[in-house]
Amino acid sequence: MDFELNSEQKMWQHTVHEFVANEVQPMAHEVDETAEFNWNAFRKMGAIGLLALNLPEEAGGPGVDALSAAIGIEELGWGCGSTALAIAAHNGLGLTPLIVYGSEELKKTWLPKVISGQGRLASLALTEPGAGSDLHGIMTRAEKSGNEWIISGAKAWTTNASIAEYIITFVRTSTDEGRHSFSMILVPTSTPGLRIGPPEKKMGLRGSPTSGVTYEDVRVPLGNLVGEEGLGMSQTLRTLDGGRISIGALSVGLAQAAFEVAVEYAMNRKTFGIPIAQHQAIQWMVADAATEISAARHLIYRAAWLKQQGRSYTLEASQGKLFATEMAERVCRNAIQILGGYGYSREYPVERMYRDARLMTIGEGTSEVQRMVIARHVLR
Ligand SMILES: Cc1cc2nc3c(=O)[nH]c(=O)nc-3n(C[C@H](O)[C@H](O)[C@H](O)COP(=O)(O)OP(=O)(O)OC[C@H]3O[C@@H](n4cnc5c(N)ncnc54)[C@H](O)[C@@H]3O)c2cc1C
């Protein structure tokens, strides 16, 4: 076993960290306060490769491995939860189905628009007002008419919808029950009949727009089918496996950032004549955080490593996501505790990190869903 990053991975980590420290982290407070996506940083991300993390070099991507892709999202999470979620959803949800399952024609048309940073982002709409964890309950339908699909229905909670070039939409293409009734269809956001609602008013991640989307007889060419008709469910589940590594990595980054703020504060703040870092109660919170961040990072890196090897990683991605997201919430919670009253104030970033971390146990499969996946693997 080798726990050392190789020289390419280290160089990538350094490059992304420097970029995030200069372009992303300094804007995180403003992004949260104004609820505006950080377009300036986004415009510069294409050149580094952050907008095509899963695209091979020969297809125009940065050619980084799956571990480096996770590290990229971890670094973004360290800098700004909102920006990190938008970029994680762009890569993991909006782009991956196109890269893995899309036709050459679709890739040729859409990849250049979404990976350079000069256009807009990519988005994936699975969830509906009536169905999230149980995707078999989705009602959005697509029917063939001549050489077009006609799509009708409503999606909820679509990250990036309002800032996307296209939304890959999970639809029913058959009236039959069962897992072969679903497909993925790429819908350009400029298509008539597609309406993107205003950004949801959320607890955190306010600079990552999330919207409801309605489809009223939306017509797109038959060629906009992503992958195979009837295989949308398995394509989605495989896409989510990768997305879970991403959300876990983002959570490690958020926790790391809150931890760094808390440690610095604990070394400087004095009570009863000594820095609070010398009180055992504070030391235990710091020790627990250091241990749990390290454990989560190892779980996520291992899932990414398995993905890179082309091996099954569904179990490990769920374990990593479950542990890392719940860990991030604990670490951010205790960072607020260490900062006392200041921790609860918007003057310090830990309250924002806590709000941002809260989503991670919900999006891309709740903690309960991760436990279902893990139990299914263990008990089969
Ligand atoms: C900020 C944000 C961004 C999002 N971005 C996207 C996006 O880009 N694309 C997209 O498609 N969706 C997105 N979502 C939706 C997200 O994936 C869903 O909210 C999530 O999957 C849960 O679905 P739900 O909200 O319908 O909850 P439900 O499925 O209704 O679940 C409600 C509760 O019941 C629990 N539960 C459900 N079934 C079981 C069970 N069998 N056993 C035990 N407990 C169970 C859940 O864990 C949860 O606690 C986003 C959501 C948010 C808040």
Side-chain angles (χ1 to χ4, degrees):
M1 293 178 82
D2 182 359
F3 288 98
E4 194 71 47
L5 298 180
N6 65 33
S7 57
E8 278 177 22
Q9 290 161 338
K10 279 185 193 160
M11 204 193 307
W12 165 258
Q13 186 178 45
H14 177 75
T15 305
V16 180
H17 188 83
E18 288 298 296
F19 172 79
V20 172
N22 290 323
E23 305 286 343
V24 177
Q25 196 217 37
M27 300 306 294
H29 176 72
E30 194 180 323
V31 160
D32 180 59
E33 289 285 323
T34 60
E36 292 286 342
F37 177 60
N38 186 347
W39 282 107
N40 283 339
F42 171 76
R43 297 272 175 248
K44 297 175 186 166
M45 287 182 195
I48 307 174
L50 282 169
L51 302 180
L53 287 173
N54 304 318
L55 189 65
E57 204 167 3
E58 58 276 15
V64 296
D65 60 13
L67 177 49
S68 299
I71 289 171
I73 299 297
E74 177 186 344
E75 291 297 337
L76 284 165
W78 172 82
C80 171
S82 291
T83 309
L85 184 71
I87 303 307
H90 163 84
N91 280 291
L93 300 182
L95 257 181
T96 294
L98 179 63
I99 294 171
V100 179
Y101 306 108
S103 65
E104 287 312 310
E105 191 62 31
L106 277 183
K107 287 188 208 173
K108 212 167 79 192
T109 309
W110 292 102
L111 280 178
K113 293 189 210 278
V114 293
I115 67 170
S116 69
Q118 302 318 304
R120 287 152 67 89
L121 290 82
S123 176
L124 174 68
L126 305 170
T127 309
E128 298 190 355
S133 305
D134 180 10
L135 285 177
H136 288 94
I138 69 135
M139 304 295 284
T140 300
R141 284 184 184 284
E143 284 172 12
K144 282 181 193 164
S145 168
N147 56 2
E148 290 179 323
W149 292 105
I150 306 182
I151 307 171
S152 312
K155 294 289 178 182
W157 297 111
T158 313
T159 299
N160 295 342
S162 61
I163 54 172
E165 293 282 353
Y166 65 76
I167 302 171
I168 293 187
T169 306
F170 185 65
V171 291
R172 243 173 216 287
T173 41
S174 157
T175 48
D176 296 346
E177 293 301 316
R179 59 187 289 128
H180 294 300
S181 315
F182 306 97
S183 305
M184 287 174 155
I185 298 179
L186 186 149
V187 181
T189 48
S190 58
T191 314
L194 183 85
R195 285 208 190 79
I196 297 166
E200 299 289 350
K201 293 187 172 148
K202 307 196 297 288
M203 172 183 182
L205 300 166
R206 300 180 67 239
S208 157
T210 327
S211 310
V213 183
T214 54
Y215 303 72
E216 274 178 41
D217 293 334
V218 168
R219 289 169 177 268
V220 296
L222 289 182
N224 281 26
L225 180 75
V226 178
E228 282 189 50
E229 186 177 343
L231 292 190
M233 184 62 87
S234 56
Q235 291 175 193
T236 296
L237 295 180
R238 263 178 270 156
T239 301
L240 288 174
D241 282 346
R244 285 168 186 167
I245 295 179
S246 232
I247 296 296
L250 200 170
S251 302
V252 171
L254 273 172
Q256 178 70 35
F259 174 74
E260 289 172 14
V261 174
V263 167
E264 195 192 338
Y265 188 87
M267 310 270 260
N268 292 307
R269 175 74 170 178
K270 286 188 176 159
T271 65
F272 302 95
I274 52 171
I276 59 170
Q278 290 182 28
H279 298 307
Q280 193 181 50
I282 301 294
Q283 290 178 354
W284 285 20
M285 282 192 269
V286 168
D288 285 350
T291 306
E292 291 194 44
I293 291 170
S294 182
R297 188 175 280 124
H298 281 95
L299 282 174
I300 292 296
Y301 284 14
R302 175 165 151 73
W305 177 82
L306 285 168
K307 182 181 179 200
Q308 186 62 34
Q309 306 300 309
R311 290 163 60 180
S312 163
Y313 64 98
T314 302
L315 170 65
E316 289 77 7
S318 275
Q319 289 175 326
K321 198 237 178 210
L322 173 65
F323 186 76
T325 58
E326 297 197 344
M327 173 284 295
E329 210 185 319
R330 283 193 295 276
V331 168
C332 293
R333 184 254 177 223
N334 281 349
I336 294 176
Q337 201 65 19
I338 290 171
L339 268 71
Y342 293 106
Y344 197 63
S345 155
R346 288 199 184 179
E347 249 183 77
Y348 284 83
V350 287
E351 65 82 34
R352 164 172 48 81
M353 293 164 184
Y354 185 54
R355 287 186 286 110
D356 289 353
R358 188 65 190 83
L359 177 269
M360 305 303 155
T361 65
I362 298 169
E364 301 203 28
T366 61
S367 283
E368 292 72 30
V369 166
Q370 304 313 323
R371 288 187 168 91
M372 281 164 56
V373 172
I374 296 163
R376 208 178 289 142
H377 271 78
V378 173
L379 299 171
R380 74 181 166 195

